[in-house]
Amino acid sequence: ACIRSLSTLAGRMDGFRSAIEYIQDFIDIPGLMMWGEEVARIIGYNVEQEANKYLLKKVFDFESKYQTAAAPIPNYPRTESDPLCVNFMGRTVSTLLKMTDAQTTIFSRECSGWFLADGQEVCGFRTISLLRRAIGVCGLSGIDKLLSFRIMHELHRFVKFFKTTVKKQGVLLEQIRDGLFPEWRIPANDSIGFYASATKKTEMLMMPVMTCLRRVGQAQLLRKMIHNELQTCARIDASKLQH
């Protein structure tokens, strides 16, 4: 369903762009430049408003540098399917995160994509390329920015968890460290029992750490794919600018 929606949106955006390119020659205006500036303004505004949920000092609608009285950008209500997201940029990021969830998919470094257990590709270079066609280079840059804010948020949560919870377990962690010393040698007395006991005692500490690492890693992999797509697109389109 997501790929179908992106394909439809990409087709519509290509149609609008082609129509403006066709008309601009007849009425003698820089249509494509105006199109690019307005799309960048709309994307920037929606990224700014979506990023407010990660910031202490929020940028309100009337304070936004992207809003103008001549051509105001409308605000639409949140959808029932994804009430945590403010606008379409947030829903796009949320959909990407759901598609590439580590609990249901497997990331393949060789194939540069996420796959289901049966080998079906869920998200890869073709998905990111289709996303670029749908929301443009500015849209991909906006997704990258929102993913960066998400990583910052997850790291802040982890630091807060470490300060409030992990420090209280300092004595336990020191006992486990002493039992494992030296690290290159297996504990002499009942190593299996020691490992089982240490794992059980630190289970409540390890799950939040694993969750944080999984979310940060997922966002970083998506950012890497976006960077690769932008770099590839720039290299291909750069030849069109040569004279």
Side-chain angles (χ1 to χ4, degrees):
C2 176
I3 301 299
R4 190 163 53 249
S5 299
L6 285 177
S7 299
T8 303
L9 178 59
R12 289 182 178 179
M13 294 295 281
D14 288 340
F16 284 133
R17 192 181 298 107
S18 299
I20 292 175
E21 185 178 8
Y22 179 77
I23 293 174
Q24 69 176 358
D25 296 332
F26 288 96
I27 56 180
D28 193 24
I29 61 170
L32 287 180
M33 185 182 71
M34 296 168 60
W35 165 267
E37 290 177 352
E38 284 302 297
V39 169
R41 186 171 72 93
I42 293 171
I43 294 290
Y45 170 77
N46 283 276
V47 170
E48 180 185 70
Q49 296 303 304
E50 187 67 37
N52 275 338
K53 61 185 178 183
Y54 300 117
L55 302 175
L56 295 177
K57 186 178 180 181
K58 305 184 184 303
V59 181
F60 296 100
D61 178 80
F62 61 89
E63 297 175 325
S64 176
K65 64 180 181 180
Y66 300 103
Q67 280 287 25
T68 61
I73 302 174
N75 275 317
Y76 297 100
R78 305 188 185 197
T79 60
E80 295 181 359
S81 59
D82 208 343
L84 297 179
C85 298
V86 179
N87 49 54
F88 73 96
M89 288 300 296
R91 289 190 290 273
T92 303
V93 174
S94 177
T95 301
L96 282 176
L97 293 173
K98 290 177 182 177
M99 291 174 62
T100 59
D101 189 0
Q103 296 180 335
T104 57
T105 60
I106 302 170
F107 179 77
S108 171
R109 182 188 299 178
E110 292 76 12
C111 299
S112 296
W114 284 263
F115 296 81
L116 297 176
D118 59 0
Q120 179 183 355
E121 182 178 308
V122 177
C123 180
F125 278 126
R126 284 175 291 188
T127 306
I128 303 300
S129 179
L130 183 61
L131 189 61
R132 178 184 58 80
R133 284 184 53 210
I135 59 177
V137 173
C138 294
L140 284 185
S141 299
I143 290 177
D144 177 72
K145 187 175 182 179
L146 290 176
L147 289 172
S148 300
F149 276 116
R150 177 181 171 84
I151 292 173
M152 178 193 68
H153 176 68
E154 290 296 334
L155 292 177
H156 277 308
R157 286 179 57 185
F158 174 74
V159 171
K160 184 178 179 180
F161 166 77
F162 183 86
K163 290 181 178 180
T164 57
T165 306
V166 177
K167 281 189 175 182
K168 296 179 181 179
Q169 305 294 330
V171 176
L172 172 62
L173 295 175
E174 288 180 357
Q175 291 175 353
I176 296 175
R177 181 196 62 187
D178 295 339
L180 293 173
F181 185 82
E183 293 80 3
W184 51 268
R185 189 176 65 186
I186 298 175
N189 300 323
D190 191 18
S191 59
I192 296 178
F194 177 81
Y195 285 134
S197 175
T199 302
K200 186 175 181 180
K201 291 178 180 178
T202 58
E203 184 177 4
M204 65 175 183
L205 301 178
M206 291 298 106
M207 289 304 297
V209 174
M210 290 175 58
T211 301
C212 176
L213 293 177
R214 185 178 71 241
R215 290 176 177 175
V216 170
Q218 179 189 18
Q220 282 292 81
L221 288 173
L222 283 170
R223 292 186 67 215
K224 184 177 180 181
M225 293 193 68
I226 289 173
H227 291 175
N228 290 338
E229 172 64 23
L230 292 176
Q231 188 177 35
T232 302
C233 176
R235 287 179 178 176
I236 294 175
D237 292 343
S239 60
K240 300 178 183 179
L241 301 177
Q242 294 179 358
H243 297 283

